[in-house]
Amino acid sequence: MKLKNNTILITGGTSGFGLEFAKRLLELGNTVIVTGRDPIKLASAKKNLAGLHIFQSDVSNPEEIANLYKTVIAQFPKLNVLINNAGQMRKISLHDSSIGLLDITREIETNLMGPIRMVQAFIPHLKQIPSAAILNVTSGLALVPFPISPIYGATKSGLRSYTKSLRVQLKNTRIKVFELIAPAAKTPLNDEFRNLDGYNVKQMNPVELVDIAFNGMEKDKYEIYPGVARVLYFMSRIAPGFMLRTLSKAGSKEMAG
Ligand SMILES: NC(=O)c1ccc[n+]([C@@H]2O[C@H](COP(=O)([O-])OP(=O)(O)OC[C@H]3O[C@@H](n4cnc5c(N)ncnc54)[C@H](OP(=O)(O)O)[C@@H]3O)[C@@H](O)[C@H]2O)c1
């Protein structure tokens, strides 16, 4: 696909990958719209990136998605690319009985139900556009569980499975379906993991990640594995038990109960 002259909606575009995507896509001459929950982060992104359009919208809330769809399509009828990037990752001990039944699934609502609902809302519009694309941001942790983040891994495996089905179901449309299997990177999402016992992972710079994502999208590579994600892909097939044992070392004390 071409990365110029598109109208692109990025969920969670106020920090990390989403902000870097927005910056670079604006530089390439695209119209870029980002969402997020925090109005201060949205205002700061708009101030720093000339031409950026912002909408406050929580991807875990179906009503907010429906409103976002109506407002964005009314203002940007040429919208042709959806990047499902918003995500959260928590360190969770399953021994912790203070975590409530609603709270335990919070990441599922944002990371899995959010993109599924966004796609459901935007597909009828995207199908009418001559050249359209959806990029779902999954993770190397879709390939191998990271036991200290048990819900996160489940959401990313779920999103990966859904993305494969989506690609098959859209094969007779003009919508291209991409998956970015992102490796650990230097973004705020990783803040609470940096000092975790047994966590010894090289973190990619988001600039490099976006370079690789763009290269893959321009070549119509539908599954893009930057850096260590490629290694995880092969290792998860050759030695899944070894990979699980390796990733189980992070936070092993906190998970001991
Ligand atoms: N960083 C990594 O190591 C890594 C590795 C693999 C995959 N990923 C994936 O990459 C994506 C981006 O992560 P990141 O590292 O760039 O994280 P980040 O810097 O924490 O950014 C997350 C973005 O999502 C927004 N967001 C969070 N919950 C939201 C919600 N319910 N509705 C709307 N927006 C929401 C945040 O803004 P608000 O808080 O204001 O809403 C923020 O703009 C995520 O899907 C993540 O799972 C990251």
Side-chain angles (χ1 to χ4, degrees):
M1 71 170 285
K2 290 200 180 94
L3 290 175
K4 287 183 193 341
N5 300 323
N6 300 291
T7 302
I8 302 173
L9 173 61
I10 307 171
T11 65
T14 58
S15 78
F17 298 163
L19 188 63
E20 185 62 26
F21 265 118
K23 176 175 175 274
R24 305 278 294 282
L25 288 166
L26 280 167
E27 285 165 4
L28 288 172
N30 298 284
T31 299
V32 180
I33 306 140
V34 301
T35 70
R37 294 162 305 169
D38 181 344
I40 296 170
K41 281 159 71 180
L42 283 162
S44 159
K46 188 171 171 62
K47 196 175 156 207
N48 291 324
L49 299 181
L52 184 72
H53 301 276
I54 53 169
F55 285 93
Q56 187 178 5
S57 181
D58 183 341
V59 82
S60 69
N61 181 327
E63 273 180 34
E64 291 192 23
I65 290 180
N67 288 337
L68 178 73
Y69 172 72
K70 272 193 224 142
T71 320
V72 166
I73 296 304
Q75 280 185 42
F76 301 95
K78 288 189 182 158
L79 182 100
N80 68 325
V81 180
L82 169 62
I83 301 185
N84 281 309
N85 166 77
Q88 297 165 12
M89 177 174 178
R90 292 185 297 167
K91 201 166 58 145
I92 293 177
S93 164
L94 298 172
H95 299 281
D96 181 356
S97 52
S98 72
I99 303 175
L101 297 183
L102 275 180
D103 189 33
I104 190 74
T105 58
R106 188 145 50 89
E107 284 149 293
I108 302 178
E109 277 139 32
T110 296
N111 302 359
L112 180 58
M113 290 158 81
I116 292 172
R117 288 174 176 147
M118 285 292 292
V119 168
Q120 198 65 16
F122 282 81
I123 273 186
H125 168 81
L126 293 177
K127 278 168 84 171
Q128 296 166 19
I129 301 285
S131 168
I134 296 170
L135 170 70
N136 288 340
V137 180
T138 68
S139 165
L141 301 179
L143 311 171
V144 185
F146 186 46
I148 190 67
S149 285
I151 314 302
Y152 180 82
T155 67
K156 293 297 179 178
S157 291
L159 183 58
R160 178 170 169 79
S161 168
Y162 166 78
T163 305
K164 287 174 190 276
S165 298
L166 180 68
R167 190 176 300 118
V168 171
Q169 290 213 18
L170 296 187
K171 71 176 180 205
N172 294 328
T173 73
R174 288 167 298 198
I175 310 173
K176 295 177 176 176
V177 178
F178 294 92
E179 179 188 2
L180 176 61
I181 302 98
K186 287 178 198 135
T187 72
L189 177 121
N190 267 316
D191 284 351
E192 70 168 325
F193 295 88
R194 271 185 252 284
N195 297 322
L196 193 65
D197 65 291
Y199 183 74
N200 184 22
V201 177
K202 191 169 175 282
Q203 296 183 347
M204 187 177 249
N205 187 321
V207 174
E208 195 188 342
L209 178 113
V210 169
D211 281 342
I212 296 169
F214 281 3
N215 191 276
M217 291 169 85
E218 280 173 334
K219 291 182 175 153
D220 281 347
K221 282 189 185 165
Y222 295 120
E223 292 188 352
I224 304 166
Y225 297 87
V228 175
R230 167 78 50 200
V231 178
L232 266 180
Y233 175 72
F234 286 113
M235 290 303 287
S236 67
R237 298 177 82 87
I238 300 165
F242 169 76
M243 290 313 295
L244 178 58
R245 283 194 298 282
T246 304
L247 271 71
S248 299
K249 288 177 187 157
S252 54
K253 280 185 210 139
E254 297 181 46
M255 288 186 286

